[in-house]
Amino acid sequence: AAGAKRAVSLPVSAPFHSRLLEPAAVVLAGALADVALTAPAMPLINNVDVARLADPAAIRDALVRQAWHPVRWVETIQAMKQDGVTHLVECGPGKVLTGLVKRIDREINTFNITDPASLQATLEALGG
């Protein structure tokens, strides 16, 4: 009715990165207010507005906004590549992000760490 050509139900546990999560973002903001953040030791690109951030207050704000705003993943990966990133490591269950990165830029080497064996394989592949 809104003009979409296709709608797909996503198998996710919550409506992440949508306005429906704005109330949870308010709770997150309260929780992060008590967390001491420092400037990152390496470049950080947030994926809500593809900005390079170093200020802890700006990082905190981006984390809260990311909960209920669309993720600009394609632009984030492109910015990382522009900055010289050649390898990305996804930590945690699943390979969703690795798959997305491969669809965006096949030249970026991707790795998944889900258990001790995949950690060891990744370390060996990265020469560590």
Side-chain angles (χ1 to χ4, degrees), residues 52-104:
R52 289 153 181 84
L53 302 176
D55 175 59
I59 293 169
R60 183 180 283 110
D61 175 66
L63 286 169
V64 171
R65 288 184 296 115
Q66 178 180 302
W68 65 281
H69 282 82
V71 170
R72 295 169 59 184
W73 189 247
V74 172
E75 293 165 279
T76 300
I77 297 304
Q78 290 169 339
M80 293 170 96
K81 182 159 185 187
Q82 182 181 0
D83 288 351
V85 170
T86 58
H87 295 71
L88 291 173
V89 179
E90 179 175 3
C91 302
K95 298 181 178 184
V96 172
L97 299 179
T98 299
L100 292 173
V101 170
K102 285 298 178 194
R103 289 172 52 189
I104 296 165

